[in-house]
Amino acid sequence: MMIGLLLALLSGALVGLQNIFNSKVNEHTGSWATTTLVLGMGFLASFAFGLLFEGMNLFNLDNMEPWYWLSGMIGVGVVVNIVKGVRLLGPTYAISIVLTSQLVFALLLDSLGWLGLEQVPFTFKQLVGVLIIVAGILVFKLSGERNNQQIAKAV
């Protein structure tokens, strides 16, 4: 369990770092060029590491539902929308909304048992947890607006 926790923490840090890099690339190109570059480089890196660590087993796709392959196309939507969201809202606010949305949809899919997931009962504690996260985002956003108004008055 500890390794899973560390991997999840590392993934969160890498996603935050990637989104900052993506927004910097997007300052010099459009959203589609950014997405092409990001996913193209990701393909090359994952292909190279896959060959290095898995060898020819990388191409063993037995017993895989063909519709699982759509995740790559979903990734296009993820990158395009995050890049635009970060540009419009700023990194912290955009990513907090992305992560909350991710949590809510994961909870929904788990609770309904959709897409081949084992159904996990929805609990009141889960609802409270999500509401606390949403409240935290609102506090963060509203306190930022108040600080900006105070700075504007001081100038």
Side-chain angles (χ1 to χ4, degrees):
M1 179 158 156
M2 184 57 86
I3 291 175
L5 179 62
L6 291 174
L7 290 173
L9 288 170
L10 178 61
S11 296
L14 291 173
V15 167
L17 186 61
Q18 180 192 26
N19 288 319
I20 291 170
F21 282 6
N22 292 354
S23 69
K24 293 299 181 186
V25 170
N26 189 246
E27 289 175 6
H28 301 281
T29 67
S31 295
W32 290 108
T34 300
T35 303
T36 302
L37 179 65
V38 167
L39 294 179
M41 294 296 291
F43 168 76
L44 292 175
S46 63
F47 188 70
F49 283 119
L51 286 175
L52 180 67
F53 291 108
E54 295 183 16
M56 295 310 290
N57 284 334
L58 177 66
F59 303 104
N60 184 3
L61 305 176
D62 294 341
N63 302 319
M64 183 187 297
E65 296 289 339
W67 58 275
Y68 291 164
W69 296 17
L70 294 175
S71 70
M73 288 187 269
I74 293 169
V76 171
V78 170
V79 172
V80 167
N81 289 310
I82 289 177
V83 164
K84 288 184 178 187
V86 167
R87 186 171 16 125
L88 296 170
L89 301 172
T92 306
Y93 189 47
I95 298 307
S96 62
I97 293 171
V98 167
L99 294 176
T100 303
S101 174
Q102 187 176 0
L103 176 64
V104 168
F105 277 93
L107 181 60
L108 177 69
L109 294 173
D110 271 349
S111 297
L112 297 174
W114 288 356
L115 303 175
L117 296 174
E118 182 178 329
Q119 190 170 6
V120 177
F122 182 78
T123 67
F124 180 72
K125 288 179 184 179
Q126 291 168 330
L127 175 63
V128 170
V130 169
L131 292 175
I132 288 171
I133 292 169
V134 170
I137 292 171
L138 291 173
V139 167
F140 174 81
K141 179 59 178 166
L142 295 175
S143 69
E145 287 177 4
R146 185 168 291 145
N147 288 339
N148 290 340
Q149 289 171 356
Q150 290 173 348
I151 292 171
K153 285 180 185 178
V155 174

